[in-house]
Amino acid sequence: MATQITVPTLGESVTEATVAKWFKQVGEAIAADEPLVELETDKVTVEVPAPAAGTLAEIAAEEGSTVEVGALLGTIGEAGAQPSATTQAAPPETVSPMPKAEAPVKAAVAAPAAQTAAEGVAAPSARKLMDENKIAAAEVAGTGKAGRITKGDVLQVIEGRAPEAPAAAPPARAP
C-alpha cells in the first residue's frame, strides 16, 4: 500500500511553499522519519520527513514547483517495490494551482498596460492633473525617463508652453 507524502502545516498564515530540494530519488529506499524533501517559504525552510519506511515510488512535485499546504509531494511504496511507469510523468495539476490563479491577474494587468502604452505613460501626479484639466495623454509630450509624462509636462501644457527636451542644455548667456 502506498503512503502519501504531503505538505505539512508550515505555520500561521503560510499557505504555500516552494520545493527546494529532494534528498532522495525515485526507487531509493527510505527509513521512517528520514528527511525526504526541503520546502522553502517566505518565513522558514522546512525538511519534510518520511511518514513511513519503504521506497520512494513517485515524486509528484518537482524541485522549483509551488505547492499548497496539504498538496501531494510524492508517494512511498513498500520496501523493494519498483516504481511504476507513470511515476516520472508530469506532476498533477493540483500540485501548483498558482499558475491558474495568476492567469486572470496577468490578463487584467496586461490590458491597462497596453492602453497606457498607446496613450503615453504618465506619473500618478501627472495623470491626476490631466484628469482634472481634461487633457489627453496624446496632447502632452513626456520628458521623463523613457518618455514618461511628468507633472511638469502637464503644467507646461496648461500654461500653454511646449515642454522642453529632458536633456536640453541651458541657454547660453550673452556676456
Side-chain angles (χ1 to χ4, degrees):
M1 181 173 179
T3 304
Q4 292 187 340
I5 307 162
T6 58
V7 178
T9 301
L10 300 167
E12 191 174 322
S13 77
V14 177
T15 59
E16 65 183 21
T18 301
V19 178
K21 180 178 182 182
W22 278 94
F23 300 120
K24 296 287 187 173
Q25 298 301 316
V26 173
E28 289 187 49
I30 300 169
D33 297 324
E34 179 180 8
L36 288 180
V37 61
E38 184 177 75
L39 302 176
E40 291 181 353
T41 70
D42 294 339
K43 298 179 180 183
V44 69
T45 299
V46 178
E47 289 183 351
V48 178
T55 303
L56 185 59
E58 175 185 19
I59 293 177
E62 296 295 326
E63 290 181 8
S65 63
T66 301
V67 291
E68 290 187 351
V69 172
L72 180 67
L73 292 170
T75 56
I76 299 174
E78 294 178 12
Q82 294 296 319
S84 66
T86 61
T87 59
Q88 295 299 327
E93 289 185 34
T94 58
V95 171
S96 180
M98 288 302 295
K100 290 180 183 177
E102 286 182 23
V105 173
K106 287 182 182 176
V109 171
Q115 181 181 3
T116 49
E119 295 178 357
V121 180
S125 58
R127 172 69 54 203
K128 181 179 177 190
L129 199 57
M130 288 169 37
D131 290 342
E132 290 172 355
N133 292 283
K134 296 181 174 66
I135 298 173
E139 297 176 48
V140 184
T143 60
K145 186 174 185 178
R148 187 174 184 131
I149 299 171
T150 64
K151 184 177 179 181
D153 298 332
V154 178
L155 289 172
Q156 288 180 346
V157 169
I158 292 170
E159 293 173 5
R161 293 184 286 157
E164 297 177 11
R173 292 189 173 185

